[in-house]
Amino acid sequence: MKEHDNKITRKSFLKAATATAAVAALSTVFQPTLKAFAQTTGSKPKEPGQWKSTTCQGCTSWCSVQVYVVDGRAIKVRGNPNSKVNRGNCCSRCHMSLQQVYDPDRTKTPMKRTNPKKGRNEDPKFVPITWDEALDTIADKILELRKNKETHKYMLMRGRYSYMRDVLYDRMTKIIGSPNNISHSAICAEAEKFGPYYTEGLWSYRQYDVLNTRYIILWGADPLSANRQVSYYLSAWGDVLDHTQVAVVDPRFSASAAKAGEWMPIKPGQDGALAVGMAHILLTEGLWHKEFVGDFNDGVNKFIPGQTVNEEDFTEKYTSGLVKWWNIELKDKTPEWAAEKAGLPVKQIVQVATDFGKAAPRAICWVGGGPAMQVRGGYSSMAAHALNGLVGSVDNVGGTLAGNKEYTVSFPKPDDFMDDIAKKGKKHKKIDHRGRKEFPALKKGKPGSAVITNNAAEGILNEDPNEIKVAIAYMNNFTFSCPQTERWERALTKIPFLVHITTNASEFTHFADIVLPSVHHMFEKWGYVKSMGNGHRHVTLLEPVIKPVWDVHIDETEIPWLLAEKLAEKGFDNLQRHYREYKDPETGKSATTEKEFALYSLKYATHNLWDPAAHKGGDKFSGWEEFKKVGVWNSSSYPYRKRWGKMKTKTHKFEFYSETLKAALAAHAEKYKTTVDDILETCNYQARGEQAFVPHYEEPYLWGSEKEFPFIHVDYKSRLNREGRSANCPWYQEFKDLDPGDVAWDDVAKLNPIDAKKLGIKDGDNIKLISKTGQLECHAKLWEGVRPGTVAKCYGQGHWAYGRVAAKEYGKVARGGSNNEIIPADYDRLSGSTAFYAVTRVKVVKV
Amino acid sequence: MESLEHKNKTQLSEKKISRRNLLKAGGAGVAVLAGATTVSAKNKSKGKRLAMVIDLQHCTGCGGCAISCKSENNVQRGNRWAKVETTTVGKFPNVGFKSLPTLCNHCENAPCVKGCPTKAMHKGYGDITMHSPEKCIGCRTCIAMCPYGVISIHIQETHPHWRSDDALIKGCTSSPKEMTEKVKGNVIPNYNPAREEFREGSGLHYKGIVEKCTLCDHRVTKGLLPHCVISCPCNARIMGDLNDPDSHISKLLVKYSPRRLKEHLGTEPKVFYVREFNPSATKSTKGTV
Ligand code: SF4
């Protein structure tokens, strides 16, 4: 990967600057005259603080960062210059972490609910309790389940996590004896992985080789604003634009569209149509990449609109099923057909597809959550991603890449510590219904292997397959982050004993019986995460760079340890004995306190990275201390084209006809002794027969009739969202207008002026968005960056709890309205993903 | 060096007193003193003319500059030393959206300096347009004079929200004040003491006086880049000395066609904009008539 010239300049300048700092400071005429800061002694002013390495989890870029600490206080932040992924950069929302860690509304002590009634309008009447009382109560509830042999009625809900997650999420749940560890993954972007998996065998997000590419289609992705590797792409984009054309497919004008050459404001949900239409153009124009895909035996292009092609006439190289795909799906999908569906000009579609094809193989089709996180979105994800196969950019220079190898290890296995109760309990079915006939959830080709986060509410409410009696949740806020939130409010009300581990009293906390205050991940926690970008992978440490502000503990390690201690005290020591297996690789010692455990478990998992004797590749350190200081391990650079012919698909090739999906669907159908067509019908897909195995167009499935709900709601994420957690930062509100079309200190729904005029709505009017399943209130904003017939609204505002800034009145009145109040709970059932986009029809009413 | 330092110290404390007098009665004597400071400051920067080039092709409108500025300079809620101004142009589907990061232009011909009756607003190190809180009387002439709207006033005690005693959940969460006390901050918990190294009180600014970007004078005088420059993940902000023909910015200014804000006013801003926020390629055509 090439480094930037100006970057080098900046670094060397900084170096030189620091060296001369003292001299320069002395020669100034200004004098320190301070009160607290005793420079009056005549000593030279020097940087009094220290830059300490840690990790930002403001979004899933997971940048390695540094915090400037003076006298134990965090003052400011910057990117960690030691990372080859984010290269010393952090994005704008990283700075807001300061207002999170020092948020006055953080919970500073464990608390318990004293109002037994639960509900959105019930004040929980929290009172402070000691850690001992809190843990004691929780341990008793768990032991009661064990006594009654109903451990499957225990549930663990996980939101954002570090890779220490398995201590609490996996191991503790298993050793207690429950199948019900439910993660948030399906409300993230699992369907985005569906396309890459069923074409190239990669169940993962991708990294994009932007510095070497010539054409980028950002498809429902807004990398200059949100997710993933935002700070890397921010740093690279100015140079990217020197040599790369950019087209953006998005119904609303995004931050990335503002810097692109083409904006394709597609009709929501028509992504599959545009994708197959573009594939049709690439083939009819002969623009596929011959080196990757192969060619007709006689070199004459027989992809002629409407005409079937003989499979024997074409010899593929690293791909499989191209002609089948053409015959089954593409031959009739003309640009005119696609234009009609997508609501875009034919000319624009042809132009973008052609320029994209001409740039092959240095052409990236960057598939984000937009086209994927829809009902039936798995197939759009496949269709759009398949364009990368056609232009041969998969695993190629200037293309779409997988993750580099890294060498962290898993925690010890729990099996030996699971007694009969635990083993029996774990055998029960999961509360989210994965694997049922209507929920294939085909993660990595295995039916029933993906989580269906948002459906767990249904499971809890209907006691199906069983009731949930005791639940622990951490770093999540499902009553805010899951569509049709009201279901979660009822579900949480139903759980008799709910524990929330959190920094702020959120909408979820509102329903908790016990609240355990958590550390802030970036400033107070031990942990690690891995992420990729710039042709590298980094493993970056979360470190306690300051002492925890309050009496709080680490969610993923300290708290389970403390709980294990409590359980042992009361006679059940399996968990504690298991945790003692996570020995410090340096001394071989088991932990004796929660603090030791937090550290030893981290050293255990990252052992191969920092111990020179265990080194397997990438950066090498002299030992733990050095790793800790540097804060990040970098892999070696990307080995291009290594996966060509060795992809983890059934054919080991890039599959345009997915044998891999065919097998997965067949396995699921087999489980229910039925046909694949029946499964597709049950799961609300339109494909039948062979079409189910190729990337193809499916009509969007929207809730509500066009007549009653004339607008399509367009949801997207704010560039200031630290996931759902930053709305209580004053800087979030002050700078909300950094999101194109948005307004500071406000929550607006954006309407095209043409539509607004028809409705008699003006800028700033109070309006309601009403869908089939809910409604919200906010302000109107007339904006040209919105496709007529749609209403665009950013996710992030609408908190009615969380803190004094996030909510207009804490616990009572929301600031604006959350999109999840109007989005119905529906799914792309093949991946288990929750639908956020092209699923909600709304009407707009002036109030 | 030692004696010079000593002299300056005396000067500054004199000025401090002067400001207080001035607040009471206003005074002409101060102007003389301040003038002397200006000259010596200029001498000390050895003829540097610090300037910033903002490369709009690199800018993504992320706001890293404006938000990090608030953390570096302890800027209170509602005030901004740096901003990102945005405009939407065109009609659907032919839409453009542009971001323009702004800050004090550190004009060579600074109207705020000219208008300031007490020379609180003056030219300092590297020709930075500096503000001395101890001389400011809050008359707001500078605000009226500045054509760029980059100077803000403190009407009340600074950071009022952080002075509150209210806790959200009694006994379970803290009040803002309690949070700051707990971590030993100064009115705000993430208070940056470096901000006040050169001028008393400028860490938090005063009630009743103005404040603005000083190009992180507390950093640049030490040879450190301003925090907004460090924090710009896009490498859009480039600092340098206009008097140095070899500086990176001097080269950029020759290579591109720089623009400045409200050029016609003759303020001679030292913040230059080069290239386009959206430089994307379009198909060549001769158009139509
Ligand atoms: S918010 Fe995301 S992009 Fe920004 S610094 Fe944090 S991890 Fe990186």
Side-chain angles (χ1 to χ4, degrees):
Chain A
M1 296 293 135
K2 80 178 179 199
E3 266 279 325
H4 293 297
D5 297 344
N6 57 352
K7 194 79 194 175
I8 289 160
T9 315
R10 193 189 116 188
K11 266 187 204 143
S12 23
F13 178 62
L14 271 174
K15 243 196 210 156
T18 327
T20 55
V23 185
L26 271 177
S27 63
T28 176
V29 297
F30 296 118
Q31 278 307 299
T33 61
L34 329 160
K35 319 169 256 192
F37 201 65
Q39 292 299 330
T40 36
T41 51
S43 72
K44 55 188 181 190
K46 56 172 197 256
E47 292 266 88
Q50 219 187 328
W51 285 101
K52 293 185 171 182
S53 301
T54 183
T55 299
C56 177
Q57 290 192 288
C59 71
T60 38
S61 295
W62 294 344
C63 298
S64 189
V65 297
Q66 293 185 324
V67 177
Y68 187 64
V69 180
V70 180
D71 294 336
R73 219 156 40 80
I75 306 273
K76 54 183 164 179
V77 300
R78 69 177 185 195
N80 185 347
N82 301 313
S83 164
K84 287 184 184 162
V85 173
N86 57 301
R87 309 186 301 177
N89 299 291
C90 73
C91 80
S92 48
R93 61 185 162 263
C94 191
H95 304 283
M96 280 188 297
S97 61
L98 293 164
Q99 293 193 326
Q100 288 184 310
V101 67
Y102 293 141
D103 183 348
D105 300 334
R106 275 184 74 177
T107 47
K108 57 178 188 174
T109 166
M111 30 190 217
K112 79 171 174 207
R113 166 182 219 98
T114 58
N115 178 3
K117 279 208 234 125
K118 291 183 184 177
R120 181 154 168 178
N121 298 318
E122 294 292 339
D123 179 350
K125 299 219 164 70
F126 286 125
V127 296
I129 52 170
T130 61
W131 275 97
D132 198 58
E133 183 186 340
L135 294 163
D136 211 65
T137 317
I138 301 168
D140 282 346
K141 294 283 179 188
I142 292 171
L143 290 176
E144 205 180 303
L145 292 180
R146 288 190 49 84
K147 198 178 89 206
N148 298 330
K149 303 201 171 38
E150 47 180 19
T151 51
H152 56 292
K153 296 179 182 173
Y154 167 82
M155 178 182 186
L156 188 284
M157 287 171 261
R158 183 188 88 193
R160 176 52 54 221
Y161 56 86
S162 83
Y163 284 92
M164 307 304 284
R165 63 193 181 188
D166 280 345
V167 174
L168 171 64
Y169 172 74
D170 184 86
R171 305 304 193 257
M172 186 165 110
T173 314
K174 282 182 177 153
I175 291 169
I176 289 173
S178 174
N180 288 317
N181 48 355
I182 301 295
S183 82
H184 78 300
S185 297
I187 57 165
C188 188
E190 290 298 275
E192 192 193 309
K193 301 172 183 169
F194 190 86
Y197 186 80
Y198 289 105
T199 50
E200 57 165 306
L202 182 69
W203 190 272
S204 166
Y205 299 106
R206 282 77 57 216
Q207 52 175 328
Y208 299 99
D209 196 10
V210 294
L211 292 178
N212 292 311
T213 199
R214 296 292 173 269
Y215 205 104
I216 299 173
I217 300 175
L218 295 173
W219 204 310
D222 191 9
L224 300 187
S225 172
N227 226 353
R228 297 187 137 74
Q229 274 42 68
V230 174
S231 57
Y232 164 64
Y233 293 120
L234 290 175
S235 75
W237 219 253
D239 294 329
V240 166
L241 292 176
D242 274 335
H243 52 68
T244 307
Q245 291 187 67
V246 182
V248 173
V249 182
D250 205 318
R252 57 109 203 176
F253 197 77
S254 64
S256 303
K259 292 186 76 74
E262 291 286 340
W263 176 39
M264 308 179 83
I266 190 168
K267 271 193 205 159
Q270 299 295 345
D271 307 272
L274 179 61
V276 294
M278 287 175 62
H280 177 100
I281 297 166
L282 290 170
L283 293 182
T284 51
E285 294 299 315
L287 291 170
W288 69 88
H289 189 56
K290 316 276 177 315
E291 194 194 326
F292 184 66
V293 181
D295 202 356
F296 284 100
N297 300 334
D298 59 5
V300 181
N301 187 2
K302 296 180 182 61
F303 292 123
I304 298 159
Q307 293 188 18
T308 314
V309 173
N310 270 335
E311 282 182 45
E312 304 77 57
D313 291 349
F314 197 102
T315 307
E316 288 184 81
K317 284 192 168 166
Y318 299 101
T319 64
S320 166
L322 178 70
V323 176
K324 272 200 177 113
W325 186 28
W326 168 262
N327 291 340
I328 297 168
E329 175 69 12
L330 299 181
K331 67 178 179 358
D332 302 317
K333 300 296 186 292
T334 60
E336 291 72 23
W337 174 87
E340 160 76 28
K341 291 277 176 205
L344 296 169
V346 178
K347 217 174 126 194
Q348 188 183 36
I349 296 176
V350 173
Q351 167 115 48
V352 169
T354 314
D355 289 348
F356 178 73
K358 283 182 184 157
R362 294 174 185 251
I364 293 168
C365 184
W366 186 317
V367 186
M373 298 299 279
Q374 306 178 359
V375 178
R376 306 168 174 165
Y379 283 115
S380 325
S381 161
M382 264 177 104
H385 187 70
L387 299 179
N388 292 309
L390 288 179
V391 296
S393 65
V394 178
D395 216 37
N396 206 350
V397 181
T400 140
L401 314 177
N404 310 53
K405 226 172 145 43
E406 53 85 20
Y407 309 97
T408 56
V409 296
S410 335
F411 296 118
K413 291 256 176 298
D415 306 51
D416 292 349
F417 303 88
M418 289 169 69
D419 58 12
D420 283 347
I421 299 176
K423 278 181 193 148
K424 274 202 193 117
K426 196 185 165 292
K427 282 211 182 98
H428 285 258
K429 295 276 180 235
K430 291 195 187 241
I431 197 79
D432 64 347
H433 304 170
R434 72 185 72 170
R436 288 190 182 178
K437 188 178 174 191
E438 69 277 19
F439 280 120
L442 306 170
K443 179 176 172 179
K444 298 189 184 176
K446 284 189 268 334
S449 57
V451 65
I452 308 158
T453 314
N454 202 15
N455 201 50
E458 246 32 79
I460 298 167
L461 280 167
N462 302 323
E463 302 189 8
D464 175 13
N466 52 255
E467 64 186 319
I468 294 296
K469 283 189 165 173
V470 175
I472 300 182
Y474 83 96
M475 216 171 171
N476 71 328
N477 193 6
F478 293 165
T479 34
F480 185 80
S481 57
C482 285
Q484 222 176 322
T485 40
E486 154 280 329
R487 294 152 53 256
W488 277 101
E489 289 174 16
R490 282 186 290 123
L492 297 187
T493 302
K494 198 167 183 325
I495 299 175
F497 185 73
L498 175 66
V499 180
H500 199 208
I501 305 174
T502 186
T503 57
N504 286 60
S506 70
E507 288 77 7
F508 192 98
T509 317
H510 208 71
F511 298 84
D513 295 275
I514 298 266
V515 180
L516 300 178
S518 162
V519 293
H520 186 284
H521 70 269
M522 181 166 144
F523 299 86
E524 302 166 330
K525 175 171 174 170
W526 282 118
Y528 78 95
V529 288
K530 8 181 193 180
S531 66
M532 56 187 165
N534 189 33
H536 286 88
R537 166 111 67 171
H538 72 200
V539 176
T540 168
L541 293 176
L542 287 75
E543 304 193 43
V545 296
I546 59 171
K547 269 217 260 114
V549 174
W550 303 113
D551 185 15
V552 297
H553 284 300
I554 300 178
D555 42 11
E556 291 177 318
T557 48
E558 290 179 356
I559 291 176
W561 173 275
L562 290 168
L563 208 48
E565 259 182 359
K566 256 294 172 231
L567 290 166
E569 247 172 55
K570 291 171 186 276
F572 176 63
D573 68 354
N574 297 27
L575 190 59
Q576 194 186 40
R577 283 191 290 112
H578 170 70
Y579 287 159
R580 284 200 183 126
E581 300 276 291
Y582 303 36
K583 297 190 173 121
D584 180 352
E586 276 182 309
T587 61
K589 278 194 193 140
S590 293
T592 57
T593 64
E594 79 279 7
K595 296 249 168 314
E596 284 177 4
F597 180 62
L599 186 62
Y600 294 178
S601 50
L602 175 61
K603 288 171 79 175
Y604 180 97
T606 57
H607 184 194
N608 291 336
L609 309 184
W610 54 263
D611 185 348
H615 184 255
K616 291 191 159 55
D619 288 356
K620 200 168 178 179
F621 299 96
S622 56
W624 171 253
E625 286 305 318
E626 194 194 358
F627 183 35
K628 206 170 77 172
K629 188 148 184 279
V630 172
V632 60
W633 169 93
N634 298 288
S635 72
S636 39
S637 45
Y638 197 81
Y640 294 114
R641 289 184 293 268
K642 272 272 166 59
R643 294 191 301 122
W644 284 22
K646 285 185 222 138
M647 288 173 178
K648 288 184 179 147
T649 53
K650 289 266 173 256
T651 59
H652 303 295
K653 298 190 169 172
F654 189 98
E655 296 179 343
F656 296 120
Y657 178 93
S658 182
E659 296 288 355
T660 311
L661 180 55
K662 194 176 185 176
L665 280 168
H668 188 69
E670 169 65 21
K671 214 164 116 189
Y672 295 95
K673 300 281 170 251
T674 184
T675 59
V676 169
D677 278 359
D678 180 41
I679 294 294
L680 291 167
E681 187 170 352
T682 310
C683 297
N684 195 13
Y685 292 88
Q686 294 177 308
R688 298 291 180 269
E690 291 278 84
Q691 205 184 17
F693 316 130
V694 295
H696 68 270
Y697 170 65
E698 298 250 337
E699 278 167 25
Y701 182 85
L702 288 116
W703 284 54
S705 69
E706 186 168 355
K707 195 157 170 274
E708 194 184 348
F709 303 99
F711 293 92
I712 299 179
H713 169 244
V714 175
D715 171 273
Y716 64 96
K717 317 298 179 214
S718 167
R719 76 186 338 157
L720 294 182
N721 278 4
R722 294 181 61 79
E723 299 189 311
R725 298 182 289 275
S726 51
N728 206 45
C729 304
W731 291 337
Y732 180 91
Q733 303 294 347
E734 283 186 69
F735 290 96
K736 192 70 183 66
D737 56 353
L738 288 171
D739 289 316
D742 270 14
V743 178
W745 286 99
D746 205 352
D747 187 28
V748 297
K750 292 174 283 286
L751 291 154
N752 188 284
I754 295 174
D755 291 330
K757 202 173 161 204
K758 280 189 217 150
L759 296 168
I761 288 172
K762 295 185 305 300
D763 248 340
D765 280 354
N766 269 330
I767 54 168
K768 258 188 190 161
L769 305 187
I770 303 171
S771 74
K772 226 180 152 187
T773 56
Q775 59 177 49
L776 65 80
E777 221 178 298
C778 63
H779 290 130
K781 170 77 190 273
L782 276 50
W783 199 51
E784 291 290 349
V786 183
R787 184 182 175 92
T790 69
V791 179
K793 191 167 173 299
C794 196
Y795 167 75
Q797 296 276 42
H799 281 280
W800 51 270
Y802 217 90
R804 67 188 73 200
V805 176
K808 218 182 234 159
E809 200 184 332
Y810 169 75
K812 296 199 176 87
V813 188
R815 185 182 292 284
S818 170
N819 286 353
N820 288 329
E821 306 258 13
I822 57 169
I823 304 178
D826 204 345
Y827 309 89
D828 170 51
R829 288 162 189 269
L830 290 185
S831 64
S833 292
T834 276
F836 285 101
Y837 315 113
V839 62
T840 318
R841 283 197 159 278
V842 292
K843 63 178 160 203
V844 183
V845 213
K846 211 165 132 177
V847 285
Chain B
M1 189 67 94
E2 192 56 46
S3 62
L4 181 75
E5 261 188 79
H6 180 72
K7 208 173 110 209
N8 286 332
K9 217 177 278 175
T10 323
Q11 256 188 10
L12 218 87
S13 61
E14 269 173 21
K15 273 185 284 171
K16 220 166 75 188
I17 294 162
S18 309
R19 184 193 164 242
R20 291 208 186 105
N21 295 341
L22 203 112
L23 277 172
K24 281 185 209 134
V30 186
V32 182
L33 247 169
T37 313
T38 309
V39 171
S40 77
K42 268 195 161 168
N43 288 346
K44 278 304 153 189
S45 58
K46 297 194 192 95
K48 268 190 189 159
R49 278 193 303 148
L50 292 175
M52 187 183 290
V53 168
I54 299 184
D55 183 340
L56 292 173
Q57 177 169 326
H58 277 268
C59 176
T60 59
C62 76
C65 49
I67 301 181
S68 66
C69 168
K70 296 197 80 155
S71 85
E72 177 69 29
N73 294 305
N74 307 317
V75 180
Q76 73 163 340
R77 197 189 288 186
N79 289 8
R80 297 181 192 186
W81 291 10
K83 296 180 200 165
V84 179
E85 282 164 17
T86 59
T87 36
T88 307
V89 292
K91 287 222 174 297
F92 179 89
N94 181 23
V95 184
F97 178 84
K98 286 164 189 131
S99 298
L100 187 79
T102 60
L103 65 158
C104 168
N105 282 293
H106 299 282
C107 311
E108 299 212 25
N109 228 338
C112 60
V113 170
K114 279 201 198 128
C116 180
T118 65
K119 295 281 185 280
M121 214 54 101
H122 62 274
K123 281 295 177 179
Y125 177 92
D127 203 38
I128 295 173
T129 303
M130 280 299 305
H131 177 246
S132 299
E134 70 274 16
K135 281 192 268 161
C136 180
I137 55 168
C139 71
R140 311 189 202 181
T141 311
C142 53
I143 297 185
M145 296 292 282
C146 172
Y148 304 105
V150 293
I151 309 174
S152 358
I153 180 98
H154 278 291
I155 298 165
Q156 49 186 351
E157 203 74 72
T158 55
H159 297 283
H161 304 276
W162 281 105
R163 297 174 195 265
S164 156
D165 274 324
D166 276 352
L168 203 65
I169 309 171
K170 251 204 157 132
C172 298
T173 64
S174 72
S175 72
K177 203 168 158 192
E178 186 188 349
M179 172 58 89
T180 302
E181 276 162 11
K182 171 80 195 198
V183 302
K184 301 195 174 67
N186 183 358
V187 184
I188 56 173
N190 53 312
Y191 174 77
N192 181 9
R195 186 54 262 185
E196 63 174 72
E197 270 175 39
F198 298 113
R199 291 170 312 283
E200 179 182 6
S202 62
L204 284 165
H205 325 294
Y206 294 148
K207 180 180 171 180
I209 65 167
V210 305
E211 62 176 50
K212 64 176 268 301
C213 157
T214 58
L215 213 62
C216 281
D217 61 302
H218 60 293
R219 295 178 55 86
V220 296
T221 48
K222 288 179 176 178
L224 300 166
L225 288 169
H227 193 51
C228 62
V229 175
I230 298 279
S231 297
C232 174
C234 315
N235 298 314
R237 292 185 170 223
I238 306 127
M239 271 289 286
D241 177 7
L242 288 176
N243 284 349
D244 173 7
D246 286 333
S247 70
H248 190 53
I249 63 161
S250 295
K251 288 178 186 162
L252 289 173
L253 292 176
V254 169
K255 184 168 177 188
Y256 300 117
S257 310
R259 284 101 67 197
R260 299 185 290 185
L261 296 178
K262 299 188 181 168
E263 179 87 58
H264 63 283
L265 296 178
T267 51
E268 301 286 325
K270 288 206 298 302
V271 175
F272 299 83
Y273 296 90
V274 299
R275 302 205 281 177
E276 295 296 328
F277 185 73
N278 187 343
S280 57
T282 49
K283 276 268 172 270
S284 48
T285 154
K286 294 204 189 293
T288 50
V289 284

